[in-house]
Structures are given as structure tokens and as C-alpha cells.
Amino acid sequence: METFGDLFESYWWLLFPLAFFVIGGWNSFLSYQRTKAKVEVLKAYAQSGKEPPADLIRALESENDRSGDDWSDGGKEESGGSGVFLVVLFAGLSAVFAFVGYSGWLGDTTSMYFVAMILGVLALAFLASSLFGKRRG
């Protein structure tokens, strides 16, 4: 029977994808809360018989236009360089794992190279998304 330490030592790298899932879920929840608040304001305008401001309607429409498919801009209308950040982040992580695998610091070089390959593929995917993804705005 394995102890918790042995289990963590074998599967520590799973913390990275789990963290991305948790962060993605949190971002979705925050987006839902923002949209819900805007709809409540629209309901208040409708109940009072007033016309809602054009800026509010534009904000709702622009938020609905963001599908979330394109990770290169992080859901922002302007492409402010977050695609470049993701490429550099994943390429750097890939390089670190490849170096640790090459140096043998943590023993199992095969798993380090495997994680480095996965992170390298993610870096290439974000690069392709940044270069060839649809432009907004």
C-alpha cells in the first residue's frame, strides 16, 4: 500500500491541469455574475418604464459576442498581448521540465520529458492561436 507521499510523488504534475480547471471555472462563475447583474439592471429599467443606456446594451452585446473559444486573447476585446504571455509561459515551463529531465534532479527523466512535451505542444497551440486566431475589435 502506498503512502500519501508516494502518491503525491508519482502524480504531483496533475496539480497543474487541476489548477487550470479550477481557474477556468472561477472565471466562468465571475462572468456569469457580471452578466446576471447587468440583466438585473435591465429589468429594473424595464419595470420603471425607462429606456436603458446604450452603453449598458453595448456592454451586454460585446460580452455575448465573446465565445471563449480563442484563448489567445483571454476573452478581451483588444489583443493586449496575453497570447504572447501564454506562449512564453508554456514554453518556459516546457524548458524547465526538459532541463530537470536532462539533469536527472528528480530521478525519473521519462516523466519529465513527457510533461515537457505536453507543455511544448500547449505553447505551440497558443502560438498558432495568437497568429492565426480571429481578430476582434
Side-chain angles (χ1 to χ4, degrees), residues 73-103:
D73 63 358
K76 298 176 188 165
E77 286 184 36
E78 69 278 349
S79 59
S82 64
V84 174
F85 169 76
L86 290 173
V87 171
V88 171
L89 173 70
F90 282 100
L93 286 172
S94 176
V96 167
F97 277 98
F99 177 75
V100 169
Y102 176 76
S103 67

Side-chain angles (χ1 to χ4, degrees), residues 113-133:
Y113 286 135
F114 182 70
V115 173
M117 287 187 330
I118 291 171
L119 292 172
V121 168
L122 284 170
L124 289 175
F126 284 122
L127 178 64
S129 177
S130 295
L131 294 176
F132 305 115

Side-chain angles (χ1 to χ4, degrees), residues 3-118:
T3 65
F4 182 74
D6 293 335
L7 187 65
F8 180 77
E9 186 177 325
S10 298
Y11 299 106
W12 60 268
W13 55 272
L14 284 174
L15 293 174
F16 291 104
L18 289 175
F20 282 112
F21 284 126
V22 169
I23 290 169
W26 181 252
N27 285 337
S28 294
F29 175 73
L30 291 178
S31 175
Y32 166 75
Q33 291 294 336
R34 280 191 303 271
T35 304
K36 185 177 170 183
K38 289 176 186 176
V39 168
E40 291 298 322
V41 170
L42 283 176
K43 282 182 184 179
Y45 274 105
Q47 287 176 351
S48 66
K50 295 180 182 176
E51 185 71 26
D55 291 339
L56 179 65
I57 295 173
R58 253 187 264 119
L60 277 174
E61 287 174 354
S62 68
E63 190 168 307
N64 289 338
D65 288 344
R66 291 185 226 147
S67 63
D69 298 350
D70 188 10
W71 287 20
S72 65
D73 63 358
K76 298 176 188 165
E77 286 184 36
E78 69 278 349
S79 59
S82 64
V84 174
F85 169 76
L86 290 173
V87 171
V88 171
L89 173 70
F90 282 100
L93 286 172
S94 176
V96 167
F97 277 98
F99 177 75
V100 169
Y102 176 76
S103 67
W105 283 351
L106 297 178
D108 186 16
T109 60
T110 306
S111 64
M112 293 299 150
Y113 286 135
F114 182 70
V115 173
M117 287 187 330
I118 291 171

